[in-house]
Amino acid sequence: MKTIRICCGTGCLANGSLLVAEEFEKKISQASVDAAVECVAKRTGCHGLCEDGPIVTIMPDNICYYHVRPKDVDEILEKTIANDTPVERLLYQNEQGVKIMSQRENPFYAHQTKIALRNVGTISPDSLEDYLAADGYKALKKALTMSPEEILTEMERSGLRGRGGAGFPTGRKWRTAAGYDVFPKYVVCNGDEGDPGAFMDGSILEGDPHSVLEGMAICALAIGAEEGFLYIRDEYVHARRSIKEAIRQAEAAGILGDNIMGSGKKLHLSIVRGGGAFVCGESTALMASIEGRVGEPRAKYIRSVQKGLWDHPTVLNNVETLANVPYIILHGGASYAAVGTGGSKGTKVFAMVGKVKRTGLVEVPMGATLRELIFDIGGGIRNGRPFKAVQTGGPSGGCIPESMLDLPVDFDTLKKYGAMMGSGGMIVMDDRSCMVEVARYYVQFLCGESCGKCTPCREGLKQMLAILTDICEGRGRIEDLDLLEALGETMQEASLCALGKSAPNPVLTTLKYFRGEYEAHILEHRCPAGVCTKLTSFAIDPDKCRGCTACARACPVNAVAGTARHPHAIDAALCIRCGSCREACRFDAVYTEGRDLS
Amino acid sequence: MKITINQIPCECERGESILQIARRNGIEIPTLCWHDGFPGQGACRLCIVEVIEGGRAKIVVSCVYPVERECEVLTESEKVRRQRGMILALLRKKAPDSPEIQALCERYHAPEIERFLPETGSRCVMCGLCVKACGELSVGAIATVNRGVEKEIATPYHEPSSACVGCGSCAYVCPAGAIPVQEMEDVRIIWGKTFSLVHCQDCGRVIGTAEELAAAAKKSGQEPDTLCADCRKKMIALSFRHTYGEIHR
Ligand SMILES: Cc1cc2nc3c(=O)[nH]c(=O)nc-3n(C[C@H](O)[C@H](O)[C@H](O)COP(=O)(O)O)c2cc1C
Ligand code: FES
């Protein structure tokens, strides 16, 4: 019996994997009567290498195909399914030009360790049977034979820290909530995932929904909760559907609901649609939102484990945190703690995007270096350009320069250098990214996403944006840099919630590691990356230009003139400085200079 | 239990806020979003203090920080002054037209940061007290709208609110004088709406707007007031005398 796994994660769906899946299903049902080999087609969650999708894997042959189109289906059925031979042209080709058969040997996957994503991409998220066959709900069954104390001890032993950003020890959080004799208690899953560019939690919710439900059920047993909520980002329609179906199946099978696996214990889970604001992912704002109030954070001097939802003890955990829980209970905390570093155990999922060759969803042991992530897994920078910086942790994270690429990625190291693990967003940048503009972008994002309640965050962000915009447009002053730092310090110290406290991070880290770039903007009215349009003019080096006309064709305003095989030139009066010509040039002939602002 | 604030020993209960304890002991901490009636917003951040607990110092917001164990509080440490100065410097630009806020900035030596952009014509510091007052004392006619840096306080769709009864509670609690109230002989104009004023039948003093008195009457199930508080007392005293005669002491 062969299984054809068709990736139906968000990336592959966007590339048309649904049509591929339908084609497989149609062809298999038509041919099933006289097929020599029995086979099933399965729609799975994200395989990770979205870049090269739609992805199809054939088991047990362990063959992985990329960029599969509906027209490839016949050939795959005939060659691989019926005759055990690979379709060469759909295989992955490595840098040396060697065709690679299995997923494991693909350099993108070879360095990964999958725990949280253990089932994502291999099982069908709609099928409870699939989950059960992959050891699903065995941990819950085991937990039912354990005392709450034993579960808590196992969780503490695992060293698991929250994957939502703050890295709070999960076992300790659960133990505190378990210690209060106030009922009802609640367990909440944070599926709000608001970082621009992040899709770790969405992929788990879509690709392996039962693992999150199982994690919540184990938490409920440990703390004594009988009700739980999954707060899922408004845009995540697929994730919500997948979770809803999983809850329905688990309840129908007697795994959740009024009588968990016949134990007499209860757990009712419901889905809450996110309020559509980044700040709603913050724990206290999220709880306010579930209660039907405005999603604004409150002071956290009294913790949610004591007074959370409706002032009752509440454990709130991130999706990825919860997906790790069944693994820990089933295999033991010690086995989980064997992976990772001293202070950060286990693995971490990252959504790696930007100027890296292979973008996608990756899971590595804590302590892997940024270099391994970006170069070994991601394959380095696109188009052979130099690496400049990597932004971790989204709007609350920081930008890390080349000199720090060998730092281990874990909670404490990143924090020490002013960046943040955050929830796992990772944006890779090359020399054509302007670090001032990156800082400005995040501040602008937060200007719209802050709840606007406290002074340092609301007013601080507003003034920061004005100053950064001035710098990007050539109106900066050198004293601005000290002022940005002073303002950043007040925001970090005095803001109400972690949004404001971490909002200056992108500014402060770029000021620390890329100060020269700020100075070039201010003192020389020049954007070294050629991004800030007010400070940049584009020109073509006649010695490098081969007259290939690529730039002229790319220019949206016909500002490039020249005849084929002769050097081209840019008409500065027409140029809108969008950079399309530079992107299009294969000979590195387009360069940027500062502009005369007078 | 006991804590010290600026080296002064202060008795307190567990769970009391630092601000409460300081106020009781005559120690000054500036506030904007805090009001006796509506504590615990923690929005303006002006009331920050430094707390040293178990050898570790941290900045906390005194109006909501509950004292759980013995600690040392500093209301004027170098760090508090610096951060509070920056917060005030931001508010100075948020409400350049508010004499109250400008005076507060002078009093606490807030730096004048020319580089910050002033919001033209604004007096509001977004402390949120008006919304609280309207919601809890009156009818909930105003609310915060938008989020982020665009957040502001307004009536629905910036139009005269049908719910507003013109009671003026919002203007009364505002620490920045940001809510304009115009009062003439017989009318009060607030939030773009004109209300007719009701005068005390005896002394002629203003006792409120007709809408406000009607709303209060509806809540209590009685007829709307026609006398001011003083005249009502006088009337009660008169009828007392009528019934019992002059009381001689
Ligand atoms: C502005 C802001 C946004 C946040 N967004 C998310 C989010 O989208 N998902 C998430 O899991 N945690 C988010 N967090 C972190 C949560 O507040 C909380 O720490 C986390 O969900 C706790 O779960 P954990 O211990 O499993 O990490 C956010 C925090 C802040 C300050
Ligand atoms: S008075 Fe404490 S935050 Fe405003």
Side-chain angles (χ1 to χ4, degrees):
Chain A
M1 165 91 156
K2 294 200 178 190
T3 306
I4 304 167
R5 295 178 186 151
I6 304 123
C7 182
C8 288
T10 314
C12 284
L13 281 179
N15 281 325
S17 71
L18 207 58
L19 295 175
V20 178
E22 282 166 359
E23 187 71 8
F24 268 116
E25 286 153 2
K26 194 173 92 196
K27 288 287 156 65
I28 291 171
S29 71
Q30 284 169 359
S32 60
V33 201
D34 49 31
V37 198
E38 248 191 292
C39 77
V40 290
K42 206 181 257 187
R43 301 181 184 193
T44 74
C46 178
H47 278 58
L49 190 48
C50 310
E51 177 88 18
D52 288 331
I55 300 178
V56 171
T57 43
I58 318 284
M59 300 306 282
D61 308 45
N62 208 6
I63 292 178
C64 191
Y65 293 135
Y66 305 85
H67 298 289
V68 180
R69 305 270 156 234
K71 63 175 171 49
D72 301 322
V73 166
D74 282 336
E75 195 178 346
I76 295 175
L77 286 175
E78 194 195 303
K79 284 201 179 150
T80 315
I81 301 299
N83 293 306
D84 297 327
T85 47
V87 181
E88 290 277 337
R89 65 186 169 82
L90 296 174
L91 291 173
Y92 191 83
Q93 184 172 327
N94 74 7
E95 247 107 86
Q96 290 74 41
V98 180
K99 299 273 185 194
I100 288 166
M101 296 268 270
S102 79
Q103 200 177 68
R104 273 253 71 109
E105 293 162 285
N106 179 331
F108 179 80
Y109 294 99
H111 302 269
Q112 298 195 42
T113 303
K114 298 211 172 183
I115 295 180
L117 298 177
R118 61 194 177 281
N119 298 323
V120 178
T122 62
I123 66 166
S124 163
D126 294 337
S127 158
L128 177 60
E129 289 68 40
D130 254 27
Y131 185 65
L132 292 172
D135 289 345
Y137 289 116
K138 275 195 189 152
L140 178 59
K141 198 164 179 188
K142 182 172 171 191
L144 284 166
T145 67
M146 296 163 75
S147 67
E149 178 54 38
E150 285 169 325
I151 300 177
L152 294 172
T153 308
E154 217 52 64
M155 288 304 295
E156 281 165 344
R157 196 170 285 157
S158 74
L160 176 66
R161 292 171 66 176
R163 302 301 194 232
F168 193 84
T170 308
R172 201 191 314 159
K173 188 186 273 187
W174 291 17
R175 181 176 293 284
T176 321
Y180 291 105
D181 269 329
V182 178
F183 294 91
K185 297 180 186 180
Y186 301 99
V187 45
V188 181
C189 166
N190 189 343
D192 201 44
E193 193 160 63
D195 287 10
F199 52 93
M200 300 77 57
D201 295 346
S203 299
I204 295 175
L205 290 169
E206 280 177 24
D208 189 17
H210 286 286
S211 71
V212 180
L213 304 185
E214 187 173 4
M216 290 180 79
I218 293 168
C219 173
L221 291 179
I223 68 165
E226 296 187 336
E227 189 168 3
F229 299 92
L230 293 107
Y231 190 90
I232 302 178
R233 180 182 171 136
D234 192 39
E235 292 91 327
Y236 282 178
V237 183
H238 291 298
R240 268 205 310 278
R241 190 187 306 134
S242 155
I243 284 287
K244 191 170 166 196
E245 177 59 16
I247 294 175
R248 194 194 61 75
Q249 290 174 354
E251 284 182 353
I255 295 171
L256 294 175
D258 282 327
N259 187 2
I260 300 179
M261 294 178 157
S263 66
K265 298 219 158 67
K266 281 194 249 207
L267 178 63
H268 290 279
L269 296 178
S270 31
I271 299 173
V272 179
R273 245 173 101 159
F278 175 65
V279 71
C280 285
E282 195 275 342
S283 55
T284 58
L286 185 149
M287 290 186 204
S289 177
I290 293 182
E291 291 176 21
R293 293 182 288 121
V294 182
E296 279 181 3
R298 61 160 175 82
K300 282 216 277 198
Y301 299 130
I302 298 167
R303 299 200 157 269
S304 310
V305 281
Q306 183 183 355
K307 286 189 174 178
L309 274 179
W310 295 287
D311 279 344
H312 280 247
T314 303
V315 164
L316 171 79
N317 276 131
N318 162 264
V319 168
E320 187 186 330
T321 313
L322 290 165
N324 278 301
V325 169
Y327 180 94
I328 291 168
I329 295 301
L330 195 58
H331 302 278
S335 118
Y336 187 83
V339 183
T341 65
S344 303
K345 301 298 186 192
T347 56
K348 178 74 193 91
V349 182
F350 292 98
M352 193 159 51
V353 297
K355 295 295 170 62
V356 70
K357 273 193 197 136
R358 293 185 284 264
T359 59
L361 194 66
V362 303
E363 181 171 1
V364 290
M366 289 277 190
T369 65
L370 286 164
R371 193 181 297 281
E372 285 172 84
L373 271 158
I374 297 165
F375 289 88
D376 296 344
I377 297 177
I381 307 300
R382 254 167 225 260
N383 305 325
R385 300 212 66 85
F387 168 90
K388 182 168 190 179
V390 53
Q391 213 276 350
T392 64
S396 34
C399 290
I400 297 170
E402 161 121 59
S403 61
M404 285 158 63
L405 274 182
D406 291 307
L407 289 179
V409 179
D410 62 50
F411 288 110
D412 308 314
T413 308
L414 289 180
K415 196 161 173 194
K416 194 168 130 199
Y417 290 93
M420 224 169 89
M421 173 88 87
S423 52
M426 190 168 271
I427 302 174
V428 180
M429 290 171 276
D430 66 10
D431 62 335
R432 287 178 178 171
S433 306
C434 169
M435 304 318 284
V436 187
E437 170 57 26
V438 167
R440 202 196 63 84
Y441 164 77
Y442 281 111
V443 170
Q444 186 172 36
F445 172 82
L446 291 175
C447 276
E449 293 299 327
S450 150
C451 80
K453 179 169 164 181
C454 79
T455 312
C457 179
R458 185 190 62 242
E459 300 305 319
L461 280 168
K462 193 193 291 177
Q463 300 294 356
M464 240 179 195
L465 179 63
I467 296 173
L468 290 168
T469 306
D470 275 357
I471 297 177
C472 288
E473 298 184 353
R475 295 183 301 269
R477 309 174 201 167
I478 200 69
E479 318 83 74
D480 287 350
L481 304 187
D482 290 340
L483 180 56
L484 284 173
E485 276 169 348
L487 186 54
E489 189 200 343
T490 299
M491 291 166 70
Q492 285 180 330
E493 288 274 359
S495 289
L496 172 66
C497 83
L499 187 149
K501 284 182 195 292
S502 58
N505 290 355
V507 179
L508 297 177
T509 49
T510 47
L511 268 173
K512 189 163 159 195
Y513 302 122
F514 301 93
R515 204 178 185 89
E517 217 167 313
Y518 280 86
E519 287 165 356
H521 283 73
I522 297 172
L523 301 175
E524 303 165 30
H525 295 309
R526 183 173 66 86
C527 172
V531 170
C532 296
T533 51
K534 290 250 162 72
L535 302 182
T536 300
S537 60
F538 284 80
I540 294 174
D541 181 344
D543 294 336
K544 286 190 182 168
C545 179
R546 310 268 182 92
C548 75
T549 75
C551 54
R553 277 176 280 130
C555 179
V557 291
N558 292 325
V560 185
T563 45
R565 286 183 293 282
H566 293 282
H568 283 47
I570 296 172
D571 181 345
L574 292 178
C575 177
I576 54 167
R577 293 172 283 282
C578 66
S580 303
C581 51
R582 189 169 66 163
E583 285 301 311
C585 181
R586 282 175 292 123
F587 307 104
D588 214 11
V590 180
Y591 64 95
T592 62
E593 307 175 300
R595 276 177 86 193
D596 187 1
L597 287 179
S598 56
Chain B
M1 50 186 286
K2 212 175 222 149
I3 62 168
T4 68
I5 305 181
N6 302 342
Q7 270 89 49
I8 305 164
C10 301
E11 281 292 335
C12 62
E13 301 275 324
R14 250 189 97 166
E16 260 189 300
S17 73
I18 292 178
L19 182 67
Q20 250 174 321
I21 304 165
R23 292 259 155 112
R24 194 169 57 237
N25 287 276
I27 300 163
E28 187 185 308
I29 298 176
T31 61
L32 271 176
C33 72
W34 188 89
H35 187 280
D36 278 324
F38 320 105
Q41 295 199 91
C44 73
R45 320 304 279 178
L46 201 58
C47 67
I48 52 169
V49 297
E50 195 161 2
V51 170
I52 303 163
E53 229 176 56
R56 286 185 36 198
K58 58 182 175 186
I59 291 281
V60 305
V61 175
S62 66
C63 68
V64 287
Y65 187 82
V67 173
E68 296 291 347
R69 56 192 76 84
E70 289 193 357
C71 62
E72 202 185 321
V73 178
L74 302 174
T75 68
E76 292 297 327
S77 70
E78 199 268 322
K79 202 165 190 182
V80 170
R81 283 180 200 224
R82 191 169 70 238
Q83 312 296 17
R84 193 175 58 202
M86 182 61 89
I87 292 169
L88 279 168
L90 288 166
L91 290 176
R92 197 204 280 277
K93 300 295 174 176
K94 171 71 183 117
D97 284 15
S98 164
E100 287 87 344
I101 298 303
Q102 302 306 314
L104 201 63
C105 289
E106 296 317 314
R107 183 173 167 82
Y108 288 95
H109 311 289
E112 172 70 62
I113 301 180
E114 294 293 346
R115 190 69 172 97
F116 288 165
L117 291 178
E119 183 172 323
T120 37
S122 165
R123 292 172 171 230
C124 173
V125 288
M126 291 295 302
C127 72
L129 277 178
C130 53
V131 176
K132 279 250 166 189
C134 185
E136 291 181 25
L137 299 180
S138 190
V139 294
I142 48 174
T144 55
V145 292
N146 303 331
R147 60 171 191 256
V149 301
E150 304 284 316
K151 190 166 186 160
E152 58 177 336
I153 286 159
T155 52
Y157 308 106
H158 285 284
E159 276 168 20
S161 155
S162 58
C164 179
V165 293
C167 73
S169 304
C170 50
Y172 177 75
V173 294
C174 179
I179 301 172
V181 191
Q182 267 176 288
E183 204 153 307
M184 283 151 281
E185 182 71 9
D186 286 315
V187 293
R188 174 186 293 168
I189 305 174
I190 185 168
W191 291 110
K193 204 170 155 187
T194 308
F195 298 90
S196 54
L197 291 171
V198 177
H199 298 263
C200 175
Q201 282 183 345
D202 273 7
C203 69
R205 225 186 329 167
V206 171
I207 55 173
T209 67
E211 288 82 350
E212 173 190 3
L213 298 176
K218 201 168 155 200
K219 243 189 215 169
S220 65
Q222 288 169 350
E223 287 296 304
D225 282 337
T226 52
L227 298 173
C228 72
D230 285 349
C231 294
R232 196 164 52 240
K233 257 188 237 151
K234 224 183 279 166
M235 187 196 71
I236 293 167
L238 278 176
S239 61
F240 185 84
R241 193 160 56 191
H242 176 77
T243 312
Y244 295 100
E246 205 73 52
I247 306 274
H248 297 284
R249 268 180 286 190

